[in-house]
Amino acid sequence: MAFVSKRVQGLPPYLFSVIDEKKKRLHEKGMDIIDLGIGAPDLPTPDFIVERLTKELANPLNFKYSGYAGCQEFREAVALFYKNHYQVDLDPDTEILTLIGSKEGIAHIVPAMIDPGDVVLIPDPGYPVYHTAAYLSGGECVDLPLIPDQNYRPDYSKVSNQHKKQAKLMFLNYPGNPTAATVEINVLEEAVHFAKEHKIGIVHDSAYNLVTFDGYKAPSILQVPGAKEVAVEFGSLSKSFNMTGWRIGYVVGNRDIIRALSIVKSNTDTSQFLPIQKAAAEALKSDYTTVEQNNRIYHERREKVVEALRNIGIQVEKPRGSFFIWAPVPKGYSSQEFAEKVLEETGVIITPGNAFGRSGEGYFRIALTVPSARLTEAVERMKTLKLEVKANVSDS
Ligand SMILES: *Cc1c(COP(=O)(O)O)cnc(C)c1O
């Protein structure tokens, strides 16, 4: 392929392509498709945030470049959020950086922290972008297995001594995508301990930090004493304030990592449009009632879907965080087979778990991010699924 790097050519094939092809075919046949695959909020950005944006758009001073690190008001709002929610003190000048969405941060933090050939530990199953980012920076991707029976906490004993020695960076993500796993602070303490022992930098992705239910409050890794010596944490307004398209997030924590990332970024972008940063600051300085309203809606949807799945014999726990349901596929099906069956028989798209790594095989993911009426319709259709009991392939 002319003009295309071996790196890009070597990217894994698009796992959703089979489903996509089917979706197109069924849609052409006139089938009404409900997509529970896409994990992006369907709810609108709260009005007060849009109002602040509109106000800032009227000020021509906001049309200039932002400072590289992002504007002061946004970084101070992040510091205030950490102080109020986690009792963590942060210096807005050295420990906080504005990101153009946390995905941007994930892509750029890898070359800031590793050299080609260095090992990157990646949760399996996990958000696929960690793997791609590490791979594109020449890192050696090594699976960090998670333990399904223990809320998907990392199993460090499965990482070889050689890989522990070579690892420079470890990704973690709680509440987790795709697993919806939540943890108590002890799991993050253990991570910091492991990272210090083996001199590994931690990047904790807390994209779903505020999407929680049943009174659960997701901890920040920076609440672990001494965490700043080894860890940074990503946050995003995409999920908590329904701002996916705005592209705004932040990274906080270890100064050396933040400085290294700011060097990569200052040669790549010049931060986010100032009105967006200021509107996002408004969100972080708010009383978080809109976040609670969102969570009530996701909670209601969660109840509905969990009930429907249990009705057809799929045993699934109610997650305390994220807007995903992660469930085992019925016996005898692979993830891909089950996703295709659900789509063909009901017109509902679910994501096969193997899209999120080796250990995702045997599971599927449902996103609770479609309007409630559509979700009800999807659930009603799924209740009609006929699950044949097939011989379990993996038993043979
Ligand atoms: C959605 C998501 C992101 C991306 O968030 P942006 O800030 O919109 O880039 C990052 N990590 C995880 C785990 C996500 O699910």
Side-chain angles (χ1 to χ4, degrees), residues 101-103 106 127 130 173 177 205 207-208 236 238-239 247:
S102 46
K103 204 188 228 179
I106 294 164
Y127 183 53
Y130 309 138
N173 169 221
N177 177 7
D205 179 354
Y208 298 92
S236 168
S238 290
K239 316 291 163 61
R247 312 309 304 132

Side-chain angles (χ1 to χ4, degrees), residues 318-334:
K318 292 181 177 179
R320 294 185 299 175
S322 87
F323 43 54
F324 300 113
I325 305 283
W326 179 250
V329 299
K331 213 171 155 66
Y333 294 91
S334 71

Side-chain angles (χ1 to χ4, degrees), residues 259-274:
R259 193 182 308 118
L261 176 57
S262 77
I263 291 168
V264 174
K265 275 177 61 59
S266 65
N267 286 286
T268 312
D269 60 66
T270 313
S271 198
Q272 181 53 281
F273 187 40
L274 283 165

Side-chain angles (χ1 to χ4, degrees), residues 270-286:
T270 313
S271 198
Q272 181 53 281
F273 187 40
L274 283 165
I276 290 176
Q277 293 191 56
K278 290 177 182 181
E282 199 71 33
L284 292 175
K285 288 189 278 187
S286 75

Side-chain angles (χ1 to χ4, degrees), residues 1-5 9:
M1 251 185 287
F3 313 123
V4 179
S5 70
Q9 289 185 47

Side-chain angles (χ1 to χ4, degrees), residues 73-90 92 96 206-211 217-223 233-237 240-241 249-252 280-288 291:
E73 184 186 346
F74 179 72
R75 282 181 285 119
E76 279 173 8
V78 174
L80 183 76
F81 167 69
Y82 267 77
K83 183 77 193 154
N84 290 343
H85 279 250
Y86 304 123
Q87 292 76 51
V88 167
D89 289 304
L90 292 170
I96 304 177
S206 73
Y208 298 92
N209 58 353
L210 297 178
V211 186
K217 200 174 166 198
S220 160
I221 198 166
L222 298 185
Q223 289 174 304
E233 185 161 77
F234 283 121
S236 168
L237 283 85
S240 42
F241 289 98
Y250 54 81
V251 58
V252 297
E282 199 71 33
L284 292 175
K285 288 189 278 187
S286 75
D287 61 9
Y288 294 80
V291 173

